[in-house]
Amino acid sequence: MMPYGVAIIGAGPGAGALHIPTLGELDDLFTVTHVTDSGSGKAAALAARLGAASSVDIATALTDPSVDVVALISPPDQHARQILAAVDAGVRGIFCEKPLATDHAAVDAVVDACRKARIPLLVGTNHLHDAAWGRATHHLTAGAGTVQSVALTLALPPNYRYHEVVSDAGPFPSPDRGRPDLTDPRIAAAVLRQLLTGLAVHDMPAVRDLAPQLERVLYARLAPPIGYSVGFVASGVVVQLMLTMLPDGYDALWRLTITTDGDRVDVDFPPAFVHAGSATVTVRDQRGRITEYRHDDQDGYVAEWQAFARMVDGSDPVEYDDIRADAHYAIALADAASDLVRTGGDA
């Protein structure tokens, strides 16, 4: 079988530092044939390195006969429009970075369109495809313990530090956009919503697996300079989300902790943009015994593209209902938390 031709829509760091190198490891499955941006000139530079075509609009990419599937590595507010354009063009598959869409109506529109056209759709939730997460869920199921709480803790340096490490296209400078006025509740609410849909969304499918029915947000606060603390209840499970991001510190910590009535499971994911293998899973039982599950060389970034290939060739089904439910869950949480910040109160 010939590799699928991929059009990369968006030429920022996510494309140059992550997805293009990842596809380079899967050249038996995919080959990048087209890169497009909105006029920044970055697409032409990336395409030249790959021997691919480039353009400044998605319409040109979608009419390129070498393109079989598209990868949307573009700003979130463009995802829904671009998915619908790709469906209209009749592509064979759509890979969309998180989030799928930014509001409930758009989620339904894109999922319905893909399902009606029978076009495979995959959202780039690499943690969900990490083999270590599969082992953690197997442990939770086999142990028959009841989940009591879930905590997602992120301590992150800015992404551009990792862009520079993993990309051979040169440094991606940190953009200086100035500091928003977080004393304005409307601005603070908007910043929180963007952080939740941009970062916490990575693990919302996993959280939804553990606590599927969102009930209420207990508290939601920004943590300057960039961070948040959000607590909510879902299916009777207490969930805490914590993020801190400082310009010159913390090596990355990305940990999902699940506490049951019998043990505690820590899933430590590797830094974003880095091919460092799978997450690590550590289980501590009530007697203090520690069990560490094995570490895989393959990471979730590679695994999600392999899963996408199986969907495109028809080997694996497309979970449209789960895609829809995951997106609605994340948006509902982000909306409720930002509403709490805007109104200035805790539940």
Side-chain angles (χ1 to χ4, degrees):
M1 183 186 75
M2 294 290 291
Y4 297 114
V6 183
I8 301 289
I9 312 300
L18 175 58
H19 289 291
I20 288 175
T22 300
L23 291 171
E25 296 184 22
L26 298 169
D27 56 4
D28 59 325
L29 297 175
F30 299 102
T31 182
V32 177
T33 61
H34 201 115
V35 185
T36 186
D37 60 25
S38 57
S40 68
K42 294 178 181 177
L46 285 175
R49 291 167 43 208
L50 301 167
S54 66
S55 61
V56 294
D57 65 274
I58 188 174
T60 301
L62 293 176
T63 56
D64 185 336
S66 72
V67 170
D68 299 305
V69 301
V70 297
L72 305 182
I73 324 295
S74 50
D77 62 355
Q78 298 180 23
H79 289 175
R81 174 182 61 82
Q82 292 173 341
I83 289 172
L84 294 176
V87 170
D88 287 343
V91 299
R92 295 183 61 182
I94 300 169
F95 178 106
C96 181
E97 261 298 354
K98 306 163 292 288
L100 176 66
T102 57
D103 62 73
H104 292 294
V107 167
D108 287 335
V110 300
V111 173
D112 288 345
C114 290
R115 173 176 258 154
K116 182 178 180 180
R118 298 183 179 180
I119 293 176
L121 171 66
L122 183 139
V123 180
T125 47
N126 58 295
H127 288 177
L128 198 65
H129 293 275
D130 192 306
W133 174 243
R135 284 192 284 276
T137 54
H138 176 77
H139 169 85
L140 291 167
T141 301
T146 301
V147 175
Q148 304 290 333
S149 66
V150 177
L152 179 61
T153 306
L154 281 66
L156 304 176
N159 276 337
Y160 71 85
R161 279 179 45 182
Y162 290 104
H163 297 165
E164 293 175 2
V165 170
V166 301
S167 174
D168 60 1
F172 294 92
S174 175
D176 182 9
R177 299 187 177 94
R179 293 191 179 277
D181 180 10
L182 299 182
T183 63
D184 184 330
R186 295 170 302 173
I187 294 176
V191 169
L192 177 62
R193 191 181 192 278
Q194 185 175 11
L195 289 172
L196 290 174
T197 58
L199 285 171
V201 71
H202 283 74
D203 296 293
M204 284 305 101
V207 172
R208 191 179 72 82
D209 281 348
L210 300 167
Q213 185 62 48
L214 181 63
E215 297 174 25
R216 62 191 179 107
V217 176
L218 302 174
Y219 60 87
R221 305 180 187 98
L222 282 176
I226 304 174
Y228 55 69
S229 178
V230 175
F232 63 98
V233 177
S235 300
V237 176
V238 176
V239 183
Q240 296 176 295
L241 310 178
M242 293 158 283
L243 163 70
T244 182
M245 184 182 290
L246 297 175
D248 299 313
Y250 299 124
D251 288 334
L253 170 69
W254 198 308
R255 175 176 295 164
L256 183 62
T257 297
I258 305 107
T259 303
T260 75
D261 50 10
D263 55 26
R264 189 184 88 193
V265 180
D266 289 317
V267 185
D268 287 285
F269 293 100
F273 293 91
V274 174
H275 291 296
S278 71
T280 58
V281 178
T282 306
V283 179
R284 293 170 174 82
D285 68 16
Q286 291 176 326
R287 298 181 180 180
R289 292 178 299 191
I290 297 175
T291 301
E292 294 184 356
Y293 284 81
R294 76 173 189 272
H295 177 268
D296 285 40
D297 291 337
Q298 180 173 284
D299 57 74
Y301 292 124
V302 172
E304 68 184 357
W305 276 101
Q306 291 173 328
F308 182 56
R310 293 192 298 272
M311 291 178 186
V312 175
D313 71 22
S315 300
D316 284 359
V318 183
E319 302 292 347
Y320 295 109
D321 290 337
D322 278 341
I323 291 170
R324 186 195 306 270
D326 288 342
H328 282 314
Y329 191 99
I331 291 170
L333 172 62
D335 285 345
S338 61
D339 284 346
L340 209 57
V341 168
R342 185 168 49 252
T343 58
D346 287 350

